[in-house]
Amino acid sequence: MIGDLYDEALRGAAGVEIEHADGRCRPLPMQDWLALRRGDAGLLDRCTGATLDVGSGPGRLTVALARRGIPVLGIDVAERAVALTIEAGGPALCRDVFGRVPGTGRWRTVLLADGNIGIGGDPAALLRRVLALLGPGGRVLAEVEPPGAPSWTEPLRLRSGRAVGEWFPWAHVSADGVPVLAAACRAAVAEQWQEADRWFVALRPGFAKAGRASLKSDRHHRHPQSLPQLHLDE
Ligand SMILES: C[S@@+](CC[C@H](N)C(=O)[O-])C[C@H]1O[C@@H](n2cnc3c(N)ncnc32)[C@H](O)[C@@H]1O
């Protein structure tokens, strides 16, 4: 994902594709990332309190949340993506999610949209990392693949007619693979939903305690005024 070809695509270059390890290629879905699309609404509605959009790309979700008055920060390793987000009116920083992240331990919502649970190719490592970014009562909202899809990691690279990028690892996690992943990370599935043809889960730290857990989460939804203030010092 990272690299000159992603930068080119973000600048509007046509013909950038994602190549899979088996040689299959598909167009990089830039249009999906540049404007809100079906399935985004439910994700945005569930962002309560200070929200960190991890791998925010050109920032459609970051910008939409800022417009709703939600304290939000997008982080992305691609400088051009961060610049586009800022130009569009969303706060964003060029940061690696595995590096120093502002507000660590205080985020109410961490977003892993557009399959970003795949970042780094090790979903357990990523989930543990983002769980550590949360504050009390926080949740990770992740977009996953449909039930029945395989959960696995593969190398991907970007290519165009002119250039080929470096391979990078990317993980795929299906909706029915989430409970095992969550348990491995000492997390619980608080909610799962489908909107349009997209699948999402909400995860929170700690093992599932059915009834009490959902009541607690509902209480936070009803009292947004109790959310901690967001300070972006590191
Ligand atoms: C599938 S795209 C997501 C697009 C984005 N959610 C949007 O709304 O446009 C994945 C994004 O994750 C970013 N990314 C990849 N590795 C990252 C890392 N370690 N930390 C932060 N961002 C990362 C990429 O630069 C890319 O913008």
Side-chain angles (χ1 to χ4, degrees):
M1 188 70 55
I2 305 136
D4 294 347
L5 282 166
Y6 186 46
D7 190 272
E8 278 182 35
L10 288 166
R11 289 175 193 276
V16 179
E17 297 187 316
I18 299 176
E19 181 182 353
H20 295 260
D22 62 5
R24 279 178 305 116
C25 291
R26 60 185 169 93
L28 189 67
M30 283 308 302
Q31 285 313 315
D32 284 354
W33 304 335
L34 286 168
L36 290 176
R37 69 182 195 278
R38 292 179 69 217
D40 285 344
L43 193 58
L44 293 168
D45 288 346
R46 287 171 174 81
C47 293
T48 55
T51 297
L52 181 70
D53 183 5
V54 171
S56 48
R60 74 181 195 288
L61 298 171
T62 303
V63 172
L65 288 168
R67 287 190 180 140
R68 289 180 177 211
I70 299 283
V72 60
L73 178 69
I75 58 166
D76 202 289
V77 288
E79 283 179 17
R80 180 68 192 152
V82 168
L84 286 171
T85 304
I86 293 169
E87 276 169 31
L93 291 173
C94 197
R95 289 286 192 284
D96 182 338
V97 65
F98 292 104
R100 283 183 66 190
V101 172
T104 292
R106 282 177 286 155
W107 295 98
R108 176 57 63 92
T109 305
V110 172
L111 268 184
L112 289 171
D114 305 316
N116 281 358
I117 187 88
I119 286 175
D122 182 345
L126 179 61
L127 184 55
R128 286 191 192 102
R129 170 62 180 143
V130 296
L131 287 165
L133 298 175
L134 293 174
R139 303 198 307 172
V140 176
L141 305 182
E143 182 167 359
V144 293
E145 303 204 359
S151 293
W152 66 303
T153 295
E154 65 168 333
L156 300 175
R157 66 181 174 183
L158 299 188
R159 67 181 309 137
S160 71
R162 302 169 304 285
V164 182
E166 296 288 321
W167 292 106
F168 59 90
W170 192 265
H172 304 270
V173 177
S174 73
D176 41 19
V178 170
V180 171
L181 172 66
C185 299
R186 303 182 66 83
V189 182
E191 190 185 357
Q192 178 179 306
W193 74 99
Q194 182 190 10
E195 187 174 348
D197 55 352
R198 299 168 66 190
W199 289 80
F200 303 90
V201 291
L203 300 161
R204 58 173 176 71
F207 290 111
K209 283 186 231 157
R212 277 167 93 204
S214 52
L215 277 176
K216 193 175 174 195
S217 135
D218 288 343
R219 196 169 62 232
H220 286 300
H221 280 273
R222 283 200 300 273
H223 294 284
Q225 70 273 21
S226 67
L227 304 182
Q229 290 296 306
L230 169 63
H231 302 288
L232 293 183
D233 53 311
E234 291 176 74

